[in-house]
Amino acid sequence: LAEYEAALAEKERELGAEHPSLFVPICELSDLYDILAKYEQAEAMVRRAVAIQQKAFGKSHPEVANSLRALATLYYKQKKYAEAEAEYRRAIKMIEAAHGENHVSLEQFLDELCRVIALQNRPADTIRPASELIEIYRKKYGPEDLRVAIGLRKLAQSYYKMREFDEAEELLLRALMLREKRNDPDDDETQMDLAELLHDLGNVYASDLAFMRAEACYVRALEVWRRQWGDTLDHEDAAQLVFHMGQMYEAAERPVEAEESYRKVIAIFE
């Protein structure tokens, strides 16, 4: 660290504090501060990098957007979600001004914007960027790519939190159709995604009091878990699924099945 700091200081003496040649060493020092969790020092370096880029290219040049994204990431790591959101939006606006809406270069920006908005418990505000992200996935990877299914699931989760169950159901069914087209029963990650989709869909039905449909989804998800990882269900996500089954049975006035489910959850954590 001391060597990087000394090297940057030497270049500053030679070239001045705002010379374009300082951009790379400033970014390197920022990355090092980031690795060491010295986020305030990293933030100061990124701000300097932004100022150098703006002076060299103009304040709204799309090159500046990548530095703003780096700044937003630092805010995210410090749990400064509102500040992170503001920088993501500034960066997205720059890219859209240069390339238009739904440009493929916006993929990571929109994904990370949705994340920080969700962490502020504002699901309604994720709808637009999440929808734009799905369109980018379709354009960049094809309409049946699994990234589209992932995007549909995330969008459905926002509608679910807003208690708009019809919209959530439609999106999850579309995601499930895409997932089942590309299903690989021997791939753990694929099977976990399938189980999580079925779990989410069951939650939607249970919240909408469609208990028979909810039970069918939960049972299917449980079958996927058992097929992949055995009857012990020794996994936190599996325990959550069984717990939600218990809640559903309790709401449906089926106390025997509810008690059985809750006992299974206890057994998983013992």
Side-chain angles (χ1 to χ4, degrees):
L1 176 59
E3 292 179 3
Y4 277 89
E5 291 173 332
L8 178 59
E10 180 64 27
K11 284 184 178 291
E12 288 173 338
R13 285 192 291 271
E14 293 176 5
L15 304 171
E18 298 181 357
H19 195 278
S21 297
L22 293 178
F23 178 77
V24 172
I26 284 174
C27 289
E28 290 175 344
L29 184 56
S30 172
D31 290 342
L32 187 55
Y33 283 137
D34 185 8
I35 291 169
L36 297 172
K38 296 179 178 287
Y39 298 126
E40 290 184 1
Q41 294 95 318
E43 180 184 330
M45 290 295 105
V46 174
R47 288 190 178 281
R48 285 188 61 188
V50 170
I52 288 172
Q53 282 189 314
Q54 288 179 327
K55 187 174 181 179
F57 301 117
K59 290 188 175 182
S60 299
H61 195 278
E63 285 293 329
V64 179
N66 289 319
S67 295
L68 292 177
R69 180 188 171 207
L71 184 58
T73 301
L74 289 170
Y75 282 135
Y76 166 75
K77 290 180 179 180
Q78 298 175 80
K79 299 184 179 181
K80 297 179 180 178
Y81 302 131
E83 291 90 338
E85 179 184 350
E87 299 304 332
Y88 281 128
R89 290 192 183 279
R90 283 179 63 197
I92 289 168
K93 188 175 181 180
M94 290 177 184
I95 295 173
E96 288 179 339
H99 303 297
E101 294 184 357
N102 297 341
H103 191 265
V104 292
S105 61
L106 287 167
E107 178 181 346
Q108 293 300 321
F109 292 85
L110 289 169
D111 185 37
E112 292 164 10
L113 174 62
C114 288
R115 178 179 62 185
V116 297
I117 295 173
L119 286 167
Q120 297 174 77
N121 196 28
R122 289 163 36 218
D125 291 333
T126 67
I127 299 300
R128 180 175 177 179
S131 299
E132 291 174 352
L133 184 58
I134 292 168
E135 290 306 311
I136 290 172
Y137 287 151
R138 287 194 180 106
K139 184 188 302 183
K140 189 174 181 179
Y141 303 109
E144 295 189 353
D145 189 86
L146 290 180
R147 294 175 187 85
V148 177
I150 292 169
L152 290 169
R153 182 186 176 212
K154 289 180 179 179
L155 183 57
Q157 288 171 339
S158 292
Y159 278 116
Y160 174 72
K161 290 175 183 177
M162 297 161 62
R163 302 190 64 79
E164 296 187 16
F165 301 132
D166 289 344
E167 290 82 355
E169 177 192 0
E170 180 187 353
L171 291 163
L172 287 170
L173 287 172
R174 286 164 59 191
L176 185 60
M177 181 179 67
L178 290 175
R179 168 56 67 189
E180 289 178 325
K181 281 185 178 180
R182 303 283 295 276
N183 188 37
D184 182 354
D186 297 321
D187 181 71
D188 286 354
E189 184 176 354
T190 298
Q191 292 305 293
M192 184 174 288
D193 286 346
L194 178 59
E196 288 175 347
L197 269 173
L198 289 165
H199 186 174
D200 283 358
L201 188 56
N203 288 345
V204 170
Y205 287 137
S207 298
D208 205 24
L209 307 182
F211 297 128
M212 291 183 65
R213 290 184 178 183
E215 181 179 18
C217 290
Y218 287 148
V219 168
R220 244 191 99 190
L222 203 57
E223 288 172 353
V224 174
W225 276 105
R226 285 189 171 126
R227 190 164 58 246
Q228 285 302 116
W229 298 285
D231 289 333
T232 58
L233 299 174
D234 189 14
H235 193 287
E236 183 178 344
D237 289 343
Q240 188 177 54
L241 167 63
V242 177
F243 179 74
H244 287 158
M245 290 182 73
Q247 288 183 314
M248 181 269 298
Y249 285 131
E250 190 173 1
E253 299 182 352
R254 294 166 61 181
V256 174
E257 291 98 326
E259 180 180 349
E260 182 182 354
S261 296
Y262 292 142
R263 288 187 181 280
K264 286 178 182 177
V265 175
I266 293 170
I268 291 171
F269 287 109
E270 283 181 340

